[in-house]
Amino acid sequence: MKRLLPFLKSPPKVAVIRLQGIISTAGRMGAGLNDATLAPVIEKAFRRGKPAAVALAINSPGGSPVQSALIAARIRRLAEEKKIPVHAFVEDVAASGGYWLATAGDDIWVDASSVLGSIGVISASFGFPEFLARHGIERRVHTAGESKSFLDPFRPEKPEDVARLHAILSPIHDAFKAQVGGRRGARLAGEKDLFTGDVWVGQAAVDEGLADGVAHLVPKLKALYGEKVKLVPYGMKRSIFQRIGGRVLGEALDQIEERALWARYGL
């Protein structure tokens, strides 16, 4: 009918990209958000059907800073190339790398109970030197290069190793701060340091300038693009092997890591 009556205008379309889960290079069963698997999804969302906008539905406790940067940069490149606005909607959590993804939006909308922030970098591990000594276990390590056994968990922690670790974490933190500062700019509240790794909930995140308001995806997009706006979902698809294999094998190690990240935010 529209082909016969070209003056009838189609309702606007908004592509909705779901970004849910931890951000990692690749899970053992194909899980995890990363640039390689998301690239075709993001490309389709921006290029198919001339969308009026792209919406990001984000629910992520973070993960790899590099993958976070790659995904967010890809979204911004396409947004600028196609001149398409991007709206980010936070569900439970957009923390650490999850918040990095949210900054790819021109605006960020949250639920009253959404957790945002954690703008910092963490390195966590365990140390076992006393356990080995107690059980008479001898640790033998031979390296070519004095830093090759850096932060060996089976040896006592060295102050120089800790200092070196901080030197590694600092530029990553600086890159995160630059991303947030560059994308949020003058919207950030200047009264307190927002880059300590702390988190804020709902309206408090809005008050600090980390988000633009409390709103949900569907009603907000209808308010912006009209009641007849068509929402077109995009997301990563899992193969039959990944779906069935994930249930059988439990994706044990991936699930432990993911649950630990979610648990930091009470989820």
Side-chain angles (χ1 to χ4, degrees), residues 143-157:
T143 69
E146 61 183 63
S147 296
K148 198 63 180 176
S149 61
F150 169 65
L151 287 179
D152 186 330
F154 298 102
R155 290 183 171 183
E157 193 171 62

Side-chain angles (χ1 to χ4, degrees), residues 49-249:
K50 296 182 180 179
V54 169
L56 309 176
I58 298 171
N59 201 5
S60 174
S64 164
V66 173
Q67 294 302 315
S68 302
L70 290 173
I71 295 166
R74 181 179 296 277
I75 292 169
R76 289 314 312 161
R77 282 197 304 273
L78 287 166
E80 291 163 15
E81 174 191 329
K82 299 293 184 180
K83 295 181 172 34
I84 294 175
V86 179
H87 309 288
F89 293 86
V90 178
E91 296 180 353
D92 298 276
V93 177
S96 194
Y99 185 69
W100 195 315
L101 297 183
T103 63
D106 297 302
D107 44 46
I108 300 173
W109 306 94
V110 300
D111 180 80
S113 299
S114 298
V115 177
L116 278 78
S118 190
I119 304 168
V121 184
I122 186 172
S123 174
S125 63
F126 296 93
F128 303 97
E130 293 182 5
F131 175 85
L132 296 187
R134 190 181 304 121
H135 290 81
I137 301 172
E138 179 185 359
R139 171 75 164 159
R140 296 175 179 174
V141 179
H142 309 280
T143 69
E146 61 183 63
S147 296
K148 198 63 180 176
S149 61
F150 169 65
L151 287 179
D152 186 330
F154 298 102
R155 290 183 171 183
E157 193 171 62
K158 300 176 183 178
E160 58 268 30
D161 282 357
V162 175
R164 183 162 176 261
L165 177 62
H166 281 290
I168 293 171
L169 297 179
S170 290
I172 301 174
H173 193 203
D174 290 342
F176 198 170
K177 291 190 287 185
Q179 170 71 13
V180 176
R183 292 297 301 153
R184 299 299 298 172
R187 288 178 284 187
L188 294 175
E191 290 77 17
K192 65 174 67 173
D193 185 358
L194 301 177
F195 307 127
T196 63
D198 202 354
V199 296
W200 290 265
V201 177
Q203 185 60 47
V206 176
D207 294 341
E208 298 299 339
L210 296 173
D212 296 284
V214 175
H216 292 169
L217 188 149
V218 173
K220 186 64 181 179
L221 292 178
K222 284 186 175 182
L224 291 172
Y225 298 99
E227 284 292 324
K228 294 184 178 180
V229 63
K230 182 178 180 181
L231 306 183
V232 184
Y234 291 87
M236 294 189 301
K237 294 181 180 179
R238 304 179 72 195
S239 67
I240 293 176
F241 173 75
Q242 290 169 341
R243 293 196 297 269
I244 297 176
R247 295 191 191 101
V248 174
L249 301 177

